[in-house]
Amino acid sequence: MAHGHAMPAPVALPGVAKIVAIGSGKGGVGKTTVAVNVAIALSKLGKRVGLMDADVYGPNVPLMMGSSQQPKVGPGNMIEPNLTHGIKTISIGYISPGDKPMVMRGPMLHQIIRQFLQQVNWGELDYLVVDLPPGTGDVAISLVQTVPLTGAVVVSTPSDVSLEDARKALEMFAQVNVDVLGIVENMSQFTCPHCHQVIDIFSRGGAERTAKQFNVPFLGSIDLVPAIREGGDRGLPVALAGPKSPQAAAFYAVAEKLMEQAEASAAAATDVIEIK
């Protein structure tokens, strides 16, 4: 499809060191839960973090972060992100709150993604975490066209259906030349609180096998723990409890691995040979 004009090249956000997209092939795998808790873990590990909710159709970040205030608009029409749990956050859910669905076509989505990147006063950030909508659609492509991504994380449950869709997400990121920094297996196993027996609700370990098969890092697995869901529903994600909390520890382990991969990826990107 040759168009008369070329797409503008992605432009880095001034002051933002790394941009990491969190995606999944299908909905309901806990992608936002992972995005929110990993963002909080990165922040508690001493990083300056922003969280951009790019799930325009079903924005869950406001609920999970426990913030619904409308962002202020500053000078130069720049949107001030909400500061929640020490993290600069923006979501369409702050701008159009309530249960009315956002009904939008592709070009409008592109406009919103561009605005959330370029018209939000992110300031100095070590990490901007972007929570993508499920699937492989417009929003991911708009993101890739607008800013250079450090890389992407794919979230999957261990079920075969979820993994099949995770593989599609891996393929999509490969097609648009985005490094996959790793796969996270969410809802990995469940330990019965009464008999302490481990139950593999979705059959465990599939995401790790998929990571090996695609030669991408495995960032870790997060068990199916009621406290994780409760924290998100109350707007107090479990990662706030710190790395020593048994429920939160897995998110910190994922955040540490993610930082390693992101550092490596960012270093590789700057090591491109310049032809004088």
Side-chain angles (χ1 to χ4, degrees):
M1 292 201 342
H3 287 292
H5 54 277
M7 281 305 295
V11 180
L13 294 181
V16 178
K18 296 180 186 69
I19 303 179
V20 176
I22 312 248
S24 69
K26 69 192 289 291
V29 297
K31 173 180 50 59
T32 304
T33 297
V34 170
V36 160
N37 280 288
V38 165
I40 288 172
L42 287 169
S43 152
K44 294 253 185 229
L45 292 167
K47 301 291 175 191
R48 297 165 300 176
V49 181
L51 176 61
M52 173 178 148
D53 185 356
D55 192 344
V56 182
Y57 294 122
N60 301 127
V61 165
L63 173 73
M64 289 194 189
M65 288 296 271
S67 161
S68 58
Q69 69 188 56
Q70 282 230 330
K72 294 181 179 58
V73 178
N77 227 357
M78 292 294 278
I79 302 165
E80 290 298 326
N82 287 352
L83 194 66
T84 43
H85 304 311
I87 291 170
K88 293 177 182 172
T89 313
I90 194 74
S91 170
I92 196 83
Y94 296 150
I95 294 160
S96 161
D99 291 329
K100 282 212 303 289
M102 294 298 291
V103 181
M104 274 174 297
R105 307 283 303 261
M108 283 169 80
L109 286 178
H110 183 67
Q111 204 49 46
I112 288 171
I113 297 309
R114 279 231 330 255
Q115 259 182 330
F116 276 5
L117 290 161
Q118 295 166 347
Q119 249 188 294
V120 170
N121 187 10
W122 291 112
E124 299 281 320
L125 292 181
D126 299 306
Y127 283 90
L128 177 59
V129 176
V130 181
D131 183 25
L132 288 175
T136 51
D138 284 354
V139 169
I141 290 158
S142 293
L143 183 67
V144 169
Q145 286 173 347
T146 310
V147 289
L149 293 185
T150 309
V153 172
V154 174
V155 179
S156 179
T157 69
S159 80
D160 287 347
V161 172
S162 176
L163 286 164
E164 185 176 14
D165 291 337
R167 289 193 279 273
K168 289 195 185 92
L170 290 172
E171 289 292 344
M172 170 194 67
F173 288 123
Q175 272 176 29
V176 292
N177 291 329
V178 171
D179 262 0
V180 174
L181 303 173
I183 295 183
V184 175
E185 180 169 281
N186 192 31
M187 305 192 229
S188 182
Q189 58 178 29
F190 174 72
T191 305
C192 172
H194 311 296
C195 68
H196 304 295
Q197 201 179 343
V198 171
I199 304 159
D200 286 337
I201 293 177
F202 293 113
S203 99
R204 190 169 148 258
E208 191 161 9
R209 285 195 299 279
T210 302
K212 278 211 178 76
Q213 182 193 341
F214 277 79
N215 201 16
V216 297
F218 181 62
L219 298 179
S221 55
I222 288 143
D223 288 354
L224 192 54
V225 178
I228 295 175
R229 184 212 35 94
E230 286 157 13
D233 286 351
R234 292 201 349 257
L236 295 167
V238 290
L240 291 169
K244 298 229 166 24
S245 149
Q247 283 96 350
F251 288 115
Y252 282 84
V254 166
E256 299 263 9
K257 280 223 175 77
L258 173 59
M259 285 194 295
E260 263 169 57
Q261 297 301 332
E263 298 286 335
S265 184
T270 51
D271 286 347
V272 180
I273 300 164
E274 288 191 27
I275 299 168
K276 291 273 189 286

